[in-house]
Amino acid sequence: MRQPKWDKYEAALLIETYWDIVYGKKSRNEAVSTLSKVLRNRVPSNEIDDTYRNENGINMRLGEIDCLFNEGKGGLMNTSELFREMVAMYKTDSDAYEKILKEARDMNSTNENKSLFKAWLATKYPKAVFDVVCSHLKTAEDFCIKVKVIRGPLLEIVEPDVLRKVSRTVTENKIFRIVNKKQHQNIVMAV
C-alpha cells in the first residue's frame, strides 16, 4: 500500500521531535515511538496498515530533517519539497511554524474527544456521516474563534453556557449565515 504524503502538521511535529532528540528532552526511541503513535492515532485504524507512519518510517524522515538542518552534512539528502519548506519556515518564520505546530498539537489533543463524540454520535444518529459533521463543526469552530466566542477546539469545550453561545453565534450571526448560506442549516444541526 502506497503511503499518503505527509502534511504540514505532521512535518511540524516531526521537526519538534527532531529537536526533542537533539536537545536530549527524549531518547530517540521514546521520541520516535511517541510520534508514531500520535500520527497513527490521527487516522481511523481501518484506514491504515502496519507501515503507516511506523517507527522505521519516522526514523527515515528524521534522517531527512537532520540533513536539511545540517546543510546536507549527514542524514538523508533525498527529501520532499514539503520538508524543505517546513525547515525553511522553521529557520526564517518562526511565528508561522509555531502556528502550524499549535494547530497540529490541537488536532492531537482533540483525538480522544473526537473518538468519544464519534461513539456518541453513532448511538444517537446512526446515519450521520462523522467526517461531514466534523467538517461542519470545524467551520463553526473557526468562525467562533475568529469572533472570540471561544479560544480553542470546540470538542474540548464542556461548559454548557459556552456551548450555547457557540450555537447562538452560528445560528444568528448574519455574516456567518451569508458566508455559509448553502451549508448553514447543516452546520447549525451539527453544533
Side-chain angles (χ1 to χ4, degrees):
M1 175 180 195
R2 186 181 175 114
Q3 297 302 310
K5 291 184 177 183
W6 284 60
D7 64 32
K8 64 184 179 181
Y9 305 107
E10 292 173 311
L13 292 168
L14 182 69
I15 291 169
E16 178 183 48
T17 298
Y18 171 79
W19 289 113
D20 284 349
I21 294 166
V22 168
Y23 291 127
K25 292 181 180 178
K26 294 181 181 176
S27 71
R28 185 177 185 100
N29 287 343
E30 177 190 7
V32 167
S33 175
T34 299
L35 181 60
S36 177
K37 287 174 187 162
V38 164
L39 296 181
R40 291 178 64 82
N41 284 336
R42 289 177 61 193
V43 181
S45 59
N46 64 339
E47 294 180 17
I48 60 174
D49 62 14
D50 291 341
T51 61
Y52 181 82
R53 308 300 188 251
N54 68 11
E55 293 180 23
N56 289 337
I58 302 290
N59 271 310
M60 187 174 82
R61 298 299 184 196
L62 284 170
E64 294 173 44
I65 296 297
D66 184 46
C67 181
L68 292 169
F69 276 113
N70 291 301
E71 314 299 326
K73 298 174 185 145
L76 299 171
M77 293 177 66
N78 188 13
T79 190
S80 71
E81 184 63 31
L82 172 68
F83 286 174
R84 284 191 283 277
E85 289 171 4
M86 290 300 294
V87 168
M89 181 187 297
Y90 178 91
K91 290 177 176 179
T92 62
D93 190 353
S94 62
D95 288 343
Y97 168 78
E98 288 296 329
K99 181 179 180 202
I100 291 170
L101 181 60
K102 181 189 179 315
E103 290 172 7
R105 288 177 182 151
D106 288 346
M107 286 176 195
N108 295 328
S109 69
T110 59
N111 273 343
E112 184 178 338
N113 290 352
K114 248 185 179 175
S115 297
L116 293 170
F117 177 62
K118 186 175 188 176
W120 175 85
L121 187 66
T123 63
K124 299 290 183 185
Y125 306 96
K127 293 184 180 180
V129 179
F130 179 70
D131 292 337
V132 173
V133 172
C134 283
S135 173
H136 293 324
L137 290 176
K138 181 70 174 141
T139 301
E141 174 185 291
D142 290 345
F143 183 78
C144 287
I145 288 172
K146 185 177 179 180
V147 297
K148 300 185 182 348
V149 171
I150 58 175
R151 292 186 185 161
L154 188 53
L155 289 177
E156 290 184 3
I157 297 172
V158 294
E159 299 87 4
D161 292 343
V162 177
L163 292 171
R164 278 191 285 276
K165 192 171 182 183
V166 168
S167 179
R168 217 173 21 256
T169 300
V170 299
T171 303
E172 299 171 3
N173 186 287
K174 289 180 184 178
I175 294 171
F176 186 80
R177 285 197 330 247
I178 291 168
V179 170
N180 298 286
K181 184 166 54 174
K182 289 184 179 181
Q183 293 296 324
H184 182 256
Q185 192 57 40
N186 293 330
I187 295 168
V188 170
M189 287 175 57
V191 171

